[in-house]
Amino acid sequence: MATTTRRGALPLTATLLTASVALYMALVALGNITDFGTNQDFVRHVLAMDTTFKDDDLMWRAITNEGVQDAAYVAIIAWETAAALVLVYGTWLWARHDHPRARRISTYGLLMVMLLFGAGFMAIGGEWFAMWQSQDWNGLDAALRVFVFSGVVLLVNHLPGTHTEGRDAH
């Protein structure tokens, strides 16, 4: 049985924003599955560092083995899919007014998204593989948008008005 809480604007906001990130991640994963080649090329170019400045001090980091590149891309898609499913479940819990579990599950899903776009795309892709140097294969702006969006949703999920009644349901 779901824990009941006072219904209000903040839990509704948490529900809808969590659903928005869930939808975004589901569409990203679906797009990568159904149009595998488009972002496969992106991952291959970023890992190969073939459109960077080709600085000899950095090029040793390049991964040119297509099997390894494709394995990395499949891992990204699996992570995106898992994050989407976790966020869908979190949204469902918010909609059922099971706020403590919704907050916990949504936090896990949002953290998954933030790790992918922050650690994966911004840190590893952007800095380690010098994606920032590429005119053609630079996804840092998009990664930052998703990272910030997910972070805002995470903060909303933890605002005092989203807590269970009797604790902080104001």
Side-chain angles (χ1 to χ4, degrees):
M1 186 89 169
T3 304
T4 58
T5 63
R6 211 175 84 184
R7 296 176 191 202
L10 279 174
L12 175 62
T13 302
T15 304
L16 296 175
L17 289 177
T18 301
S20 295
V21 180
L23 175 63
Y24 176 79
M25 290 307 298
L27 292 173
V28 167
L30 180 65
N32 285 337
I33 292 166
T34 60
D35 183 18
F36 191 84
T38 298
N39 282 328
Q40 178 187 34
D41 285 342
F42 187 94
V43 170
R44 283 183 173 178
H45 285 288
V46 169
L47 296 181
M49 299 174 67
D50 57 2
T51 60
T52 64
F53 301 161
K54 296 195 177 35
D55 182 342
D56 289 338
D57 293 332
L58 297 179
M59 289 308 293
W60 64 270
R61 300 175 184 178
I63 297 173
T64 56
N65 180 293
E66 288 186 355
V68 174
Q69 293 169 342
D70 291 347
Y73 182 46
V74 169
I76 290 168
I77 295 170
W79 190 267
E80 292 166 344
T81 303
L85 292 171
V86 170
L87 289 167
V88 166
Y89 181 51
T91 300
W92 183 74
L93 291 170
W94 280 113
R96 291 196 55 205
H97 305 288
D98 187 352
H99 297 173
R101 285 180 42 199
R103 185 175 304 99
R104 185 174 67 252
I105 298 301
S106 297
T107 297
Y108 295 147
L110 293 164
L111 179 59
M112 290 175 73
V113 173
M114 294 180 79
L115 287 172
L116 177 63
F117 285 88
F121 297 144
M122 292 167 55
I124 295 171
E127 288 302 316
W128 185 257
F129 291 106
M131 180 170 58
W132 66 270
Q133 295 179 3
S134 177
Q135 298 267 336
D136 300 316
W137 304 102
N138 185 343
L140 288 173
D141 287 343
L144 179 61
R145 282 192 303 270
V146 177
F147 184 83
V148 170
F149 178 41
S150 300
V152 168
V153 176
L154 180 63
L155 291 173
V156 168
N157 272 268
H158 287 273
L159 288 174
T162 62
H163 291 263
T164 59
E165 191 167 7
R167 288 177 47 193
D168 291 301
H170 293 88

